[in-house]
Amino acid sequence: MTRLSVNVNKIATLRNARGGNVPNVLQVALDCERFGAEGITVHPRPDERHIRYSDVREIRPRVQTEFNIEGYPSEPFVRLVREVHPDQVTLVPDPPQALTSNAGWDTKTHLDFLKDIILPFKEDGIRVSVFVDALPERVEYAALAGADRVELYTEPYASHFHEQAEEAVRPFVLAAEAARSFGLGLNAGHDLNLDNLHFLKEHIPYLDEVSIGHALISDALYFGLEQTIKKYKEQLR
């Protein structure tokens, strides 16, 4: 089974645009679980332009499924993760000013850095996933750094899906096979949607988890949140 983790950052973006607490990020996270999502993802950034550190602290004790915190491992981020103890931390190489994640780690170049970051999380019993491009070497060095999983950065797949789906998915299949060979779990995320998700799942049936935010929340404007989550879960069957 591939788990659907809903990224609620966009809910926080909408709330922050007006101030106050509408929409309520915690309530939406709980509703996502109630409607069938198997996980909740948050990605706090240093400027707290969407998810705030206070949101993370509020959501963590209420989530009954899997809680995943993703972000760049700055000192404040590392302290937050170790404080709230999520089920999974996903390390991404975003600089502070990044609009959204746009590349995976160069795990070979940053091997020693990642080793030092990953070890304390694992000592705390937190599963560690490393965000990588679909390159077998990047997957290999994530394993050498001590990661439990990799999350494949799927924007290149999504961008070329409608032009040539088979060509678009091929590097991801190779990277997924590399992950299996190194004993890593496998996640995927970025620009996955109702058009391209099932095809990815068909070609990589052993995906552990997909993390989806922007497209899912956008679809919910038309279908409603409950029906949207059901539609995404149908794509993963």
Side-chain angles (χ1 to χ4, degrees):
M1 182 187 77
T2 301
R3 300 166 67 96
L4 172 65
S5 185
V6 177
N7 186 320
V8 295
N9 275 28
K10 282 296 181 292
I11 301 300
T13 301
L14 183 59
R15 175 201 61 191
N16 295 352
R18 188 67 179 265
N21 199 33
V22 177
N24 185 303
V25 177
L26 172 61
Q27 186 58 56
V28 172
L30 298 178
D31 287 340
C32 288
E33 289 188 320
R34 183 163 57 90
F35 297 148
E38 292 94 0
I40 298 297
T41 291
V42 293
H43 186 152
R45 287 187 163 87
D47 60 5
E48 297 190 313
R49 64 181 179 269
H50 33 63
I51 286 292
R52 301 168 181 154
Y53 277 35
S54 59
D55 292 323
V56 179
R57 294 184 175 99
E58 183 179 24
I59 293 170
R60 176 61 185 121
R62 300 288 301 279
V63 168
Q64 301 299 310
T65 57
E66 182 172 285
F67 190 50
N68 171 49
I69 304 177
E70 60 182 31
Y72 180 80
S74 64
E75 288 186 15
F77 178 86
V78 171
R79 288 197 300 270
L80 176 71
V81 172
R82 298 190 74 182
E83 172 194 338
V84 304
H85 204 280
D87 301 284
Q88 177 176 269
V89 58
T90 301
L91 305 178
V92 298
D94 291 353
Q97 71 276 12
L99 180 63
T100 186
S101 303
N102 56 20
W105 286 96
D106 181 341
T107 49
K108 184 176 182 179
T109 298
H110 299 287
L111 177 63
D112 290 339
F113 174 76
L114 289 170
K115 280 183 175 179
D116 290 343
I117 290 294
I118 289 171
L119 183 59
F121 291 142
K122 295 191 70 170
E123 289 176 343
D124 287 350
I126 301 169
R127 183 199 312 135
V128 180
S129 179
V130 174
F131 194 64
V132 297
D133 299 312
L135 298 168
E137 183 183 66
R138 301 286 173 87
V139 173
E140 176 184 3
Y141 276 87
L144 292 172
D148 301 295
R149 292 187 184 181
V150 289
E151 179 175 330
L152 299 182
Y153 169 53
T154 48
E155 189 276 337
Y157 161 73
S159 294
H160 297 96
F161 172 75
H162 289 291
E163 300 167 10
Q164 180 50 265
E166 292 288 348
E167 290 293 325
V169 81
R170 184 171 295 117
F172 293 85
V173 173
L174 294 175
E177 290 172 350
R180 291 189 89 186
S181 72
F182 293 114
L184 295 174
L186 186 66
N187 300 340
H190 210 283
D191 288 351
L192 297 176
N193 57 41
L194 290 174
D195 292 330
N196 59 40
L197 181 58
H198 184 68
F199 190 82
L200 183 73
K201 168 67 174 177
E202 278 188 321
H203 285 75
I204 311 174
Y206 45 87
L207 268 173
D208 290 301
E209 175 186 294
V210 292
S211 175
I212 305 177
H214 182 82
L216 189 151
I217 299 303
S218 298
D219 287 332
L221 295 175
Y222 296 93
F223 304 124
L225 185 59
E226 182 173 8
Q227 290 304 314
T228 298
I229 289 175
K230 289 179 178 178
K231 286 177 180 290
Y232 274 86
K233 290 188 69 176
E234 286 170 3
Q235 301 304 308
L236 293 170
R237 293 196 180 104

